[in-house]
Amino acid sequence: MSEWQPRILAILCNWCSYAGADLAGVSRMQYPPSIRVVRVPCSGRVDPLFILKSLQSGFDGVLVSGCHPGDCHYISGNYVARRKFAVLKPLLEYIGLEPNRVQFSWISAGEGDRFAKVVTKITEDVRELGPATRLVKKL
Amino acid sequence: MKNKKNSVLVLGAGIAGIQASLDLAEMGVEVHLIEDTPTIGGRMPQLDKTFPTNDCSMCILSPKMSECARHPLITIHIMSALKEISGDPGNFICRVIERAKYVDPVKCVSCGLCEAKCPVKIDDEFDMGLRKTRAISRYFLQSIPSEYTINPRHCLYLTKGVCKLCEKVCPTGAINYEDKDKEIDISVGAVILATGIDPFNPIGFGQYGYHRYSNVVTSLEFERMLSASGPFGGHIVRASDDQPPKKLAFIQCVGSRDEGIDKNYCSSACCMFAIKQSIIAKEHSRDLEASIFYMDIRAFGKDFDKYYDKAENHYGVKFKRSKIADITELPDGCLELKYTYENGDIQREVFDLVVLSTGFQPRQGSRELSENLDFRLNRFGFCHSDTFHPQETTRKGVFVCGAMNSPKDIPESVVSASGAVAGAVKLLDPGRHDVSTGEKEIKEKDVVGERPRVGVFVCHCGINIAGVVDVKNVAEMAKGLKNVEHSEDVMYACSTDCLEIIKERIEEHDLNRVVVAACTPRTHEPLFRDTISAAGLNPYLFEMANIRDQCSWAHMNEPEKATAKSRDLVEMAVSKARSLTPLKRLPIAIDPEALIIGGGLAGMTCALAIADAGHDVFLVEKENVFGGNMRDIFFNPDGSDPQQFLAETIEKVENHSGIRVFLNSTIEEIAGYVGNFRTMFTNGSGQQEELTHGVVVVATGGQEHKTTEYLYDESSRVITQKEFEAMLHDEKFPPGKLREVVFVQCVGSREEGRMYCSRVCCSKAVKNARQLQHKKAKANIYFAYRDVRTYGFSEQYYSELRDSGALFFRYTPGNKPEVEKIDPDDPDSRIRVTLFDPVLEKDVVIDADLLVLATAIDPLEENLRLAKMLKIPLNSDGLFLEAHVKLRPVDFATDGIFVCGLAHSPKDMGESIAQAKAAGSRALTFLKKRSILAEGTIAEVRTDRCSGCGYCEDVCAYAAIEIDLEEGVAVINDALCKGCGACVASCRCGALDLRGFTNEQLFSVFDSLEIEAVEGIL
Amino acid sequence: MNMVRLDKQKFSNFILELSAEYTVFAPGKVGGKTEFVPIRSEDEIDFKTLVTDMSPKGIFFPSSEVLYEYDKQGIRVPEKEIGKPIAVWGMRGCDSRSLLMLNKVFGSAIQMPEDEKFQDPYWKEKYDSSLIFGSACNTPLSTCFCNWFGGGPHSREGMDVFVVDAGDSFLMEPVTGKGSNFLRELTCFADSTEKDEAVAKKLASDAESSMAAPMEVTDLGERLNDLFEEAVWEEISAKCINCGACTFSCPTCHCYDIQDEGKGSRGKRIRVWDSCMFPIFTMEASGHNPRALSSQRVRQRVMHKYSYFPEKYGEFLCTGCGRCVTACPVNLDIREVLKTINAYNKQGITNG
Amino acid sequence: MNTTNELRKNIKSLIAEKKVDLFLGWEKGSLPLAATPLFVTAEDQADKAIFDVTCGNNLSIYFTKDKKQFEGRKVGIAVKGCDARSVVLNILEKQIKRENVVIVGLPCNGVLDRKKVLAKTDGREVLELIDNGDTVIVKGNGFDLQLNREEVLSSSCLACIYPDAQEYDFFIGEARGEVPNEGRLKEIEEFQTLSSLERWEQTRAEYEKCIRCYACRNVCPSCYCNVCFVDQNDPRWIGGTSEYTDTLIFHVIRNLHVAGRCVECGACQRACPMDINLLMLNRKVAMEVKDRFGDIAGLDINGKPAMSDFKEDEKQKFIMG
């Protein structure tokens, strides 16, 4: 039996992080097959509820990634997003969700390697935590 | 001119020909695209990746190929040749020979049964002979058109009158052995030539042993070896023993920079090509070792030096400046290279595979073509054109683009293609048209209220996906998903035949949603959307799952997990697809005027291109004169006079009825969006003026870097190249004799803070050094350089300079020339320059009368202000960042804004002119339309839910939302909305939603996967 | 069967015996609040609280109840978590009466012909087999107004066994056959004495007399119908913030919403409490809302309790427990509302 | 009492001088522990107005509850410190215009938490309350208790820094100034020292109590969406059950929706029928908003609400490196 493979939802902005994921793929960078990518136009589109919903739905972790500050294709969408995440992240930890289940990153279209690294890191982090239980809704 | 024809013939369907055709067609011009081979695409489909972004070549090209094939104004003539042009510019008759194809393209369904049965095996030209194909075949899998053709030179029936197997197996009776060559006459207003180049053929050439040694290959062969769709499925193996090579050698300048074979020019792209191949090879196998044997690394393009640096320092590619003396084959097939370093050291090293970086040479038959069509070739056999008219041949009305007139990489080819269009369109009269002109109106099926009926197509992408992911399993799984009516696996989802299959399935199964699991929607979504649109579905009823970039390529060694992930991604895509709704794109009217910011060479050229096509131009220049940096350029290597050309250009601009010029003017604010810009600027008399216009061209230029190095501030004898050129022109030399003149290159370039090559300095220094020799015959020239980057035809001037006795000293950033004043107190003191000579391996001291610094080209500081105003990006160097470095080199991601000249990156006059014309053409693709369609994915308000709190208004970067204070609800400007969704996520009330990425759609994705499965794949 | 006496020392035995056959609910503390919770022993019971914060309706009509689950195999009603029937200890007269009212809705639709009567299986399953131990109120609260609607502190309606706390003992009187059957089988009881009965009577009359005089409600329904279009509702509802605290704490409010929760090919259908105070309660698919205004919703609640329900079922849908009075965050007191209606009505008639 | 009298005078003159058409204040209600909102439209009604420890209602809620009611009317409102901040937010969020509202600021000594009083009386019914300033006396059948004010104040008040209205047209009574309330975050800080699992278990236990009556939301002056996200069903944002993940997600999202907007008035907690310690989340969010963006909800009438704003150089350590 091979190692447990967490399933992590990755919400990626179309212009930077999704392109970074494409580049990682095109560059044949190998990273753990843990993430399930959802493409959104901009990290600014990410409602904190998306993250909670995904955790409730059973994903073991959630990664949200957008353009680096200053790089946003939509100028400031990532800044708007950052404020939301800046409140959400400590709040989730506060209520007792494991800190590493939900992570945020900035990955540019040119950073295929960074994408691979970020995915590897969050996968390791989540693997260490084990399968998600706390916010998972039993159906 | 009467009877202007609104059509153009484009000869050659490589990337340049395709780009020219698309630009023309977008302007409403009818295009005949003539191609010699059985497919459009040219060289690009043969490439695996493109530098410096490693984009997959086929991936970025295929949407353009499809667009070309689908465009109603473009007629493609494959296997055809242009025999003769008669008539006058604006009214040509072109005689075209269409060779017999022996397969009726209307009947052929590209099923491939004929190829499977054909007994004649021949070398596959597309795969550089590394694979066999048949006498009846398709040129390559994604060929457009996709129909098969018979090669009459090899077909048994056509040569010997026996066989006819293909006719027997053809299910549609498409084979027609009686097919004949046809001659047709096409009347057009202009002709654009884009026949491209041939790679240098090194058979029997020099000491490299190509074709004698089985493990010596050309770079194009190696490219096919790297390609996942290539003969070895992307596994690099040696021909001799099918073993993966561990050690690779790339030998540069094979067939370039070689006076001995009359190829004293640089092919401009091979250095980057080799660097790319070494990087990709290392990505295939990290422990592979790659060495590049070179004279100079010519990484002179935008972001190229960073790529070079990455290859050397990140990937560990070894760069060996040396000369290859000899190659010998060892019994195990390995190759021993004997090479000499510049200091004379001789080395021997064994490699498993040697790649010859073959240069470009004129296409076979160029001379015949030039005679038939009556245009001149240059001394190397390329089509002749001059610096100031880079896209004009010697025959009026016949233009040239791509590498046909000089070696070029892809973006330069694209630029030149658009530039050629600017010339051609002057001879036509397309007028303005509505966006739907020529497009067949397909009645859209009303799916509202219908139960979702999803069709799923899972792409093999050859072996790109299917080599790792169990594609059939994924397709089978999809059959079990809710609302999935049909699911199948397909070889190449984006190929024309598969697009047809998708359309058929939509019909057959009454599908109202389509999911394609293939590659990235970033490149392929438009293609599939158009396809389902052609089948009567709203294009937004489409969703992609990226199982290639995210599964097969990222998890190559874990096929089961890659398959499991692909299943999930497909399930998620189907979930989203289920709740997709048809979206409408609203028309946006386009103002027919253009604003050009910057009145240098690029700005003026662009202004003329647009104005000559019948559109009003506002040309705004911050200085009180036109000309920009060109006012400081006095010489051109070919002997023409830049100042005369500049004066003529300024005169044309100032007297053009379609150009309004504003000198001494500063842009204050630019509001609006494509087709509807509103610009406030302060005019020459200090008053505010407002202009409305449809497009913006950024041609703000660049500036010479202000250096503090090499005593520049302290000595009158240290000057910049610009100052030196003025000195040469004015002949105001420093007092006393001028014997020892030192040139230092890369001052400020290619180092921390400016990690780019300023591109023009080497050629400029060579040009000025030759001028100096001309004016001061006794002057000794010392040239301190890092790499001499006299690319293209400038190479001949470099070698002339070298031959004339100028001394060249290579330095490294760690060992820069040292300078001191001989008399420290005298500002006019001569300068003592100490150079390290790597050949002699010792210092050389020169007491210089003049030290000429090739200072870098800097972006303007005000770029940032303009970038913010226009909401367009800058790259890390502060240069404007185009939409795509390969295929959209003058566009911004934001519609209606274009860039040219030094604002984009350092370039010489000819290149600025080409790019300016290209920007003009691209602008005309908008201006020639009365209206375009807005995006469908924009935000919308449910006013019953809106409480009017105004957070959306605050977070919108485009001022696309306002609160109507009367009603207390948000109102969205559809044309301004860019669809980012920041407002949507900021709306507590759920009153906002983003079409195409609605809450409902995204929620269903988050909820789509079965929870048990979440326990993990064990 | 007559009244029996249970010494309080034996109460824990009683609970044990009761628990053997029933799942026992009784008032208990949850955080700082009291509500009916499943208990296993005497010490989990809160004997002090007279009116629990939450009414006991949730025992039989939970705030969220899965009606069925589905997957590719089909539809299933979930297994009941509690296998045993329900017994409730300590239910006040107002609450036990409320169950009778709810049973009219869920247990049978009385105006329908017998063969078309709808009976809610989820309610019936729990309620029909239940055993209710009522609890007499010896010291009614200032917010109690059960006496307005025919109830009283020692009312026995809706109980199977009526229980009086007589200090050191509980006096139990069977009300239904089910109640007497149960008492008969238990061993820990003593027969009650005349003295016991006298104590119970005294407690009852003291409790009754401690309550404020009831308001006249006989023609409340008619008066309300007359006032339907009057502006008085705007006055009444002005301070209502439509929070729904009244409906959620009310023992007789029984409106619910049906929600489906699905994921992939699986899911479940759930019944959850809803409130007529919420604007979305009556929101129609078209976007039209017949009760968009707060005043319309407040009116609906009052009309339903004191006009529509009596018209249909012959009694007010209010037991006067007073929970809504204490729960209301803006102190919108239903008694005041009814008094306003009364006053307004009289004025209206005399003037009209 | 002085404050009450002055308030009555003020209301009278505002009505008399037609400076307002309607004044929102408090009057004595039917229960001893809570005043009830008072809508004054005529001078003589002004004498009903009171201001004491029972005036817990944040009256600004009426601005958003039924906007139509206030159209074209000038409204006076009596506000405590927290209420004033709500009014400021209502103005910033375009719910009312500053020129249409007359704010009468009051210094607040805190308001009662009924549950705390009942805990003191051991559940016995309170029939009378006397506000003596530092102490309050509660009386019922057979008891008479003197309680320290702090023992029965709403926990929001115990953590309050701005008891006085900061934005007002008139200020009545003696301002208390900023109250340092050191240790106001003690409860949160202590909670934060627990392990992740301990925090989770406590949180879960707390939110398992929720019956989704939405009283917290409905009394919240910052919750004024026409249809709350939790009630929207096309699509349904979160499950409608009382299962704890559903309830917790509702509360977390609600807290994010009031991030930078919650004035910590405590109305939610006082309204909760299940006695959930709701403020533990609100105050944590307010704390983060203040630490990270330097913003305190409703304090600056010239500012921008925190979540509608951003700065380019904000702390972003939480982003993966």
Side-chain angles (χ1 to χ4, degrees), chain B residues 120-139:
Chain B
V120 186
K121 285 190 186 176
I122 55 174
D123 280 351
D124 185 333
E125 206 179 324
F126 179 77
D127 270 327
M128 306 303 293
L130 296 171
R131 176 155 62 185
K132 296 290 179 197
T133 183
R134 308 295 169 110
I136 183 164
S137 68
R138 191 150 54 159
Y139 200 66

Side-chain angles (χ1 to χ4, degrees), chain B residues 559-573:
Chain B
E560 279 168 30
K561 289 175 180 178
T563 302
K565 185 173 169 185
S566 302
R567 290 163 60 110
D568 281 359
L569 292 182
V570 168
E571 191 166 354
M572 288 160 79

Side-chain angles (χ1 to χ4, degrees), chain B residues 368-388:
Chain B
E368 193 190 344
L369 186 72
S370 78
E371 283 160 9
N372 288 345
L373 305 186
D374 190 21
F375 63 89
R376 225 176 70 211
L377 301 180
N378 72 6
R379 59 172 280 208
F380 302 114
F382 287 84
C383 173
H384 175 88
S385 59
D386 71 57
T387 307
F388 302 123

Side-chain angles (χ1 to χ4, degrees), chain C residues 30-33 35 48-49 53-54 63-64 140-144 237-245 248 257 259-261 268 270 272-273 278-280 283 293-294 325-327 329-333 335-336, chain D residues 27-31 34-37 39 57 61-62 65-66 69 114-115 122 125-127 141 209 211-215 217-219 226-227 231-233 236 238-243 246 271-275:
Chain C
V30 178
K33 290 281 182 177
E35 61 177 308
K48 276 181 195 150
T49 301
D53 292 301
M54 292 303 293
S63 63
S64 145
L141 304 178
S142 70
T143 50
C144 293
S237 67
K239 61 183 170 186
C240 174
I241 56 173
N242 295 119
C243 72
F248 278 85
D257 187 20
Q259 299 189 348
D260 288 347
E261 291 208 340
K268 52 192 177 185
I270 304 159
V272 295
W273 289 358
F278 299 160
I280 196 162
M283 178 72 86
L293 298 177
S294 169
V325 178
T326 37
V330 294
N331 184 228
L332 179 58
D333 190 326
R335 297 170 300 180
E336 305 290 323
Chain D
E27 66 175 312
K28 199 168 163 17
S30 67
L31 298 175
T36 186
F39 291 58
N57 293 120
I61 192 172
Y62 292 110
K65 195 194 87 164
D66 187 0
Q69 199 180 338
R114 185 176 149 265
K115 292 172 227 168
D122 206 8
E125 192 183 22
V126 175
L127 297 174
N141 279 330
K209 295 194 286 195
I211 55 165
R212 308 266 303 239
C213 69
Y214 306 127
R217 170 196 78 194
N218 294 333
V219 299
N226 297 345
V227 184
D231 288 332
Q232 293 177 14
N233 51 11
R236 175 158 281 292
I238 59 171
T241 70
S242 306
E243 193 263 354
D246 278 342
C272 178
M274 303 314 291
D275 200 26

Side-chain angles (χ1 to χ4, degrees), chain C residues 187-248:
Chain C
T187 52
C188 49
F189 295 112
D191 285 342
S192 64
T193 60
E194 268 178 36
K195 193 182 148 203
D196 290 334
E197 275 161 40
V199 167
K201 259 190 194 133
K202 171 83 168 72
L203 286 169
S205 66
D206 283 357
E208 270 154 30
S209 61
S210 77
M211 292 183 78
M215 191 189 85
E216 181 52 51
V217 294
T218 38
D219 56 351
L220 189 54
E222 276 165 49
R223 282 192 298 242
L224 283 168
N225 292 346
D226 288 344
L227 291 178
F228 190 83
E229 304 284 358
E230 297 294 312
V232 66
W233 296 109
E234 277 156 44
E235 229 171 86
I236 288 170
S237 67
K239 61 183 170 186
C240 174
I241 56 173
N242 295 119
C243 72
C246 46
T247 56
F248 278 85

